[in-house]
Amino acid sequence: MEVKRTQAQRTAATRAALVVAARPLFAEHGYAAISTDQIARAAGVTRGALYHQFAGKEELFAAVVEQVEEEIQARIAAEIEAAAPTDVDAMIGANIDAFLAACAEPEVHRIALIEAPAALGWERWREICFRYGVGNVERVLQSLIDAGLVADQPVRPLAHVVAGALDEAALYAARAGDREAAVEEARGALRALIPGLLTR
């Protein structure tokens, strides 16, 4: 017997289908080159359905960026969980390595680092990055402080500084001619910088 979906379930399914369809299009062609008609066709919905769920292409793209950022932070959290909880260097290194590895992937690189600042504007893009990134960094720092492995200090401003360093390192690598070499340079700089920020 077929179970009827509620309106909320149908809405959620349509939104999810649009995000799933839009993400590879934005990653391959860029934000400006893709139309709402193309996205709607790829999702198997009407253009009207797209505009019913999202105010426009920018809002749909923002949802894609949010999804990418959420996935990045989930990957980082998993790597940190796998690191030795009493080893500060291992936990910091896991955060740095997982973040840079994610940002080096073509889809993440194009959507999160190249298209997002241009399509959403610098302020909105940074707000999304910080909403996900700062929270994750803050949790790691607080766990290190609680364990007595890092000096007790206000964690929120420290998390913003560390997250800012991570984001700038990723942007440096994203715009480099030799991205692989730039990632290694950024990794070395972060591993030298961040431990020094945690002591006072």
Side-chain angles (χ1 to χ4, degrees), residues 102-193:
C103 290
E105 292 179 0
E107 184 184 64
V108 174
H109 171 263
R110 180 77 183 264
I111 290 173
L113 298 176
I114 303 299
E115 300 296 328
L120 301 178
W122 185 262
E123 287 187 9
R124 188 175 187 190
W125 171 66
R126 294 298 281 171
E127 184 274 323
I128 292 172
C129 290
F130 267 65
R131 181 149 36 86
Y132 287 95
V134 169
N136 195 53
V137 170
E138 192 171 319
R139 284 189 293 275
V140 173
L141 294 176
Q142 190 62 62
S143 70
L144 293 172
I145 291 170
D146 292 343
L149 299 171
V150 168
D152 189 15
Q153 56 194 295
V155 72
R156 180 146 298 172
L158 181 61
H160 275 264
V161 171
V162 171
L166 288 165
D167 283 347
E168 287 302 317
L171 285 172
Y172 165 76
R175 285 162 171 75
D178 184 344
R179 282 216 308 271
E180 189 173 332
V183 166
E184 288 307 311
E185 291 171 349
R187 179 179 286 111
L190 289 168
R191 282 179 173 269
L193 173 68

Side-chain angles (χ1 to χ4, degrees), residues 8-29:
Q9 288 172 326
R10 289 194 295 272
T11 295
T14 301
R15 288 180 67 88
L18 285 163
V19 171
V20 167
R23 182 167 168 169
L25 292 173
F26 288 138
E28 183 176 354
H29 304 287

